[in-house]
Amino acid sequence: MTSKKQLRRSFILLILALGLALTLSACQRASQQIDTGASSGIAMTLAVNPDPATVGQAQVTVTINDASGQPVSGAAVAIKGDMSHAGMMPVLADATEDGAGVYRTDLEWTMAGDWIVTVTATLADGQTVEQQFDLSVAQ
Amino acid sequence: MTGSTTPIYRPKPAFDLLRVPGLGRLLRWRWGRLVFQLPLAVVAAVMIYDGLTGPKLAPQNLATVAAWVHYRGLVVLALLLAGNLFCMSCPFTLPRTLARRLSGHGRRWPMALRNKWLAIALFVGLLFLYEALDLWASPWLTAWLIVAYFAAAFVFEALFAESPFCKYLCPIGTFNFVGSTISPLQITSRDTQVCRTCVGKECVNGSAQVLGCGTELFVPQMRSNMDCVLCLDCVRACPHDNVALAARKPLAELTIAAWPRRWDVALLALVFAFTALGNAFGMVPPVYALESALARWLGTTNETLILALIFGVIYVALPVLAGVGAAWLSQRLAGAGSLRVVLARYAPAVVPLGFAVWFAHYWFHFASGALTIIPVLQSFLIDHGVTLLGAKPNWRLGAILPADALFLLEMGSVLIGFIASLAVLRRIADNTHEDGRMATRAMAPWLALLALIAVLAVALFTLPMEMRGMMAG
């Protein structure tokens, strides 16, 4: 009887621990809640040259428009390319404005595979908008 | 009367880690294991927390970076230089101990499952999930995998009297058990005469104060690191202070028929070698071409099915066919026992090469991304208002070796593994056959198998790597 009681106690403990993990998995840290521009209507597009992307030097163009479709000038645009695998150093670049709402930079895709390109735009009014784009880079 | 003053005879001890000043005392201490487990338990808790709540990108999350880059790189290094240090420090066994205390004495692990078949299935299953779910790209799934490990260790310890999770189930333990057979350190008795006259056999039975061996190994009979989690409970339990963690001859275990002559143990060695190839194959361009070709041929877009076919062949069918085929040929050419006996005799020879392929692969990732843990940790701390390591993550940190050195490391590793496997093979054949010609004939099929594995490994490491999610293939 004691053994059964002890066993039941063990499993209650286990269920509590799993419940804690489950609760945690539904949470997201404040720092991970990013403004993707949906609320302000800011839209970003990403283009790469060459397209499709291949390993080596490339030019990346980011276009930013506001809710009315007008180009957004004067933003500071940072680009960070991460591979899908852990342990890979990201590719970092700051894009400069090359025409109204058009920002360009050169960078190097260092390995073939799946990349996640994060574009962070700090607008002239101080608002920060961040969007992620999936990109497949061939050998 | 003279017996009380004459010291007990002990053979000249080889290097014994437990006699190293300071470290030896720490390892022998009652709470010695806990000293190593607690830091890893904290690391595991942080990994779970960051995996569940932190960045969704694998290169930015502690769960994925620590699990798939650092753990794997460091565990193979530890196995190569010392022994099964991860199992010694395993945090998953902490709640297991709690479960044992809470549940009292459980049942014995079923006799039918006292072998390596389930361990092989779970090891292969985890490697398949790694590919099918892109575990390496998902902090969330990696965190849940760690939770699952804790839960499984807890449940099995609560239900059963022994430690079946470590010995018969844990995929990490299974990898470490096979890997540790090449390790330079092994638990052994300092003086077998002391064991012969020992009444209590506390090393395996335990005592009122200290547990005995959780995986039920008996120190004076140990000839292998297989199934040893290096918990050192045997050391603490021995009332005669007669247990050593001693240095041994390189590769000796693999040449002296130290393993039971069973199908499951022999096939585990072969699965270990072929999964090393398969795990590396999952990251090079031909796997995507093969996937596409199979999808067209079978007329399906069911990726799980396609991956199950590819990795089912590499992880299960090939090791069975290659191992049994080599054993059959060896038996036909030179005799010396049944198919099972011949397979079990020569299977250990593939372990050094298999380990070398794992080492090359894991160290490619570790050496090319070891320093990425720094910005990831900085980012984690900054997220929580701690700027101890800097106010901004330094994302420009990455490799600890240049790309050219990585290639040399991979090739060198495979070459050394191949030579070590050849040496083991030669020794096994010479130990079995007095006639040199018969020995050569017996080892010929195994030599061909080793050459095949080595050539495939070199071909894989020569190919450009692609960090691609299978789903995007």
Side-chain angles (χ1 to χ4, degrees):
Chain A
M1 280 302 284
T2 313
S3 182
K4 272 188 180 175
K5 196 175 168 184
Q6 286 173 324
L7 201 62
R8 201 179 308 133
R9 207 188 311 161
S10 306
F11 280 97
I12 290 170
L13 204 67
L14 176 69
I15 288 163
L16 284 175
L18 288 176
L20 178 69
L22 205 61
T23 310
L24 210 57
S25 73
C27 301
Q28 195 177 42
R29 292 209 298 266
S31 60
Q32 302 307 316
Q33 292 162 7
I34 53 170
D35 180 0
T36 59
S39 56
S40 55
I42 298 290
M44 287 198 268
T45 61
L46 180 92
V48 294
N49 183 28
D51 185 15
T54 52
V55 172
Q57 289 294 325
Q59 187 180 64
V60 174
T61 304
V62 176
T63 308
I64 308 177
N65 292 307
D66 63 17
S68 60
Q70 294 300 308
V72 175
S73 291
V77 176
I79 292 172
K80 183 162 176 269
D82 283 293
M83 298 213 71
S84 55
H85 199 292
M88 293 303 295
M89 200 168 66
V91 171
L92 303 167
D94 290 324
T96 52
E97 192 162 5
D98 184 17
V102 178
Y103 302 82
R104 289 188 215 282
T105 187
D106 292 333
L107 49 70
E108 183 185 359
W109 306 121
T110 50
M111 189 180 279
D114 293 338
W115 288 76
I116 299 104
V117 181
T118 306
V119 180
T120 307
T122 307
L123 309 186
D125 63 1
Q127 181 191 354
T128 300
V129 179
E130 190 173 292
Q131 280 191 23
Q132 287 182 341
F133 302 88
D134 292 338
L135 183 73
S136 190
V137 175
Q139 196 61 47
Chain B
M1 287 298 286
T2 51
S4 60
T5 53
T6 307
I8 298 169
Y9 167 75
R10 288 180 197 276
K12 191 181 175 186
F15 171 76
D16 178 2
L17 194 69
L18 302 178
R19 302 293 148 190
V20 172
L23 179 62
R25 195 181 176 130
L26 173 67
L27 291 169
R28 293 198 310 269
W29 184 39
R30 187 177 176 191
W31 305 107
R33 192 182 188 196
L34 203 60
V35 170
F36 297 97
Q37 284 178 305
L38 281 178
L40 281 196
V42 171
V43 171
V46 171
M47 287 166 72
I48 291 170
Y49 169 70
D50 202 32
L52 295 180
T53 69
K56 290 185 170 49
L57 292 182
Q60 296 178 13
N61 195 293
L62 284 170
T64 31
V65 175
W68 305 121
V69 179
H70 292 80
Y71 163 73
R72 299 196 304 182
L74 294 175
V75 83
V76 289
L77 187 66
L79 287 167
L80 184 68
L81 298 182
N84 194 353
L85 299 187
F86 177 78
C87 288
M88 170 194 269
S89 320
C90 178
F92 306 128
T93 54
L94 283 176
R96 197 190 70 170
T97 309
L98 180 68
R100 181 180 285 191
R101 294 241 168 101
L102 287 172
S103 65
H105 296 288
R107 304 160 69 176
R108 295 279 294 166
W109 184 248
M111 189 59 84
L113 300 177
R114 289 176 179 271
N115 49 54
K116 293 292 180 190
W117 292 120
L118 208 49
I120 293 172
L122 289 171
F123 178 57
V124 166
L126 181 64
L127 290 173
F128 172 70
L129 287 180
Y130 176 81
E131 305 291 350
L133 301 177
D134 298 339
L135 285 179
W136 39 269
S138 171
W140 194 81
L141 285 176
T142 302
W144 273 109
L145 182 66
I146 300 169
V147 172
Y149 260 102
F150 275 114
F154 185 88
V155 167
F156 282 96
E157 193 65 24
L159 291 176
F160 295 95
E162 320 132 78
S163 299
F165 181 73
C166 297
K167 190 170 182 176
Y168 300 111
L169 300 169
C170 177
I172 291 178
T174 300
F175 179 91
N176 291 345
F177 288 156
V178 183
S180 67
T181 60
I182 64 149
S183 297
L185 297 176
Q186 187 203 303
I187 288 289
T188 185
S189 57
R190 291 166 64 78
D191 183 352
T192 49
Q193 191 59 37
V194 173
C195 299
R196 205 165 288 145
T197 54
C198 175
V199 178
K201 316 290 186 203
E202 284 87 350
C203 59
V204 66
N205 294 327
S207 65
Q209 291 80 33
V210 189
L211 293 171
C213 179
T215 53
E216 301 187 329
L217 301 173
F218 184 41
V219 170
Q221 289 181 344
M222 279 178 71
R223 303 173 75 203
S224 165
N225 274 341
M226 187 75 84
D227 296 341
C228 177
V229 296
L230 273 190
C231 63
L232 304 185
D233 281 343
C234 55
V235 176
R236 295 176 199 108
C238 177
H240 311 289
D241 191 20
N242 193 42
V243 182
L245 182 53
R248 59 182 186 172
K249 282 184 188 170
L251 308 175
E253 169 180 343
L254 302 172
T255 63
I256 56 168
W259 302 354
R261 289 183 168 176
R262 297 199 319 243
W263 289 102
D264 56 326
V265 179
L267 287 174
L268 174 60
L270 287 148
V271 167
F272 178 80
F274 277 85
T275 47
L277 290 174
N279 200 244
F281 181 64
M283 302 201 77
V284 290
V287 78
Y288 310 111
L290 181 60
E291 264 193 276
S292 303
L294 277 175
R296 280 195 305 275
W297 184 53
L298 296 170
T300 178
T301 54
N302 186 333
E303 195 176 29
T304 306
L305 175 70
I306 294 168
L307 290 176
L309 274 175
I310 294 174
F311 290 102
V313 167
I314 300 173
Y315 291 169
V316 181
L318 278 182
V320 171
L321 286 175
V324 174
W328 181 79
L329 271 174
S330 181
Q331 188 199 31
R332 299 281 292 182
L333 290 169
S338 67
L339 188 63
R340 175 181 57 78
V341 167
V342 175
L343 176 68
R345 181 182 297 134
Y346 288 99
V350 302
V351 173
L353 181 56
F355 183 84
V357 179
W358 278 114
F359 187 91
H361 181 188
Y362 283 0
W363 261 73
F364 174 87
H365 290 295
F366 183 71
S368 62
L371 298 182
T372 60
I373 193 82
I374 295 172
V376 174
L377 187 59
Q378 286 173 318
S379 179
F380 176 82
L381 292 174
I382 292 165
D383 266 9
H384 295 84
V386 180
T387 53
L388 195 69
L389 297 180
K392 203 177 172 190
N394 181 3
W395 292 110
R396 297 193 185 279
L397 292 172
I400 53 171
L401 287 177
D404 292 347
L406 285 179
F407 183 70
L408 286 177
L409 179 87
E410 288 174 320
M411 292 299 123
S413 180
V414 173
L415 181 64
I416 292 169
F418 182 61
I419 292 169
S421 276
L422 284 187
V424 171
L425 179 61
R426 180 81 246 181
R427 185 74 62 85
I428 295 171
D430 286 345
N431 288 346
T432 311
H433 300 276
E434 285 182 5
D435 179 355
R437 277 183 55 213
M438 287 302 274
T440 304
R441 286 172 62 148
M443 62 183 272
W446 294 96
L447 181 64
L449 176 58
L450 291 176
L452 176 70
I453 294 173
V455 167
L456 287 173
V458 168
L460 283 173
F461 293 131
T462 311
L463 288 167
M465 225 164 135
E466 289 195 18
M467 301 278 194
R468 195 185 293 276
M470 289 293 197
M471 303 305 284

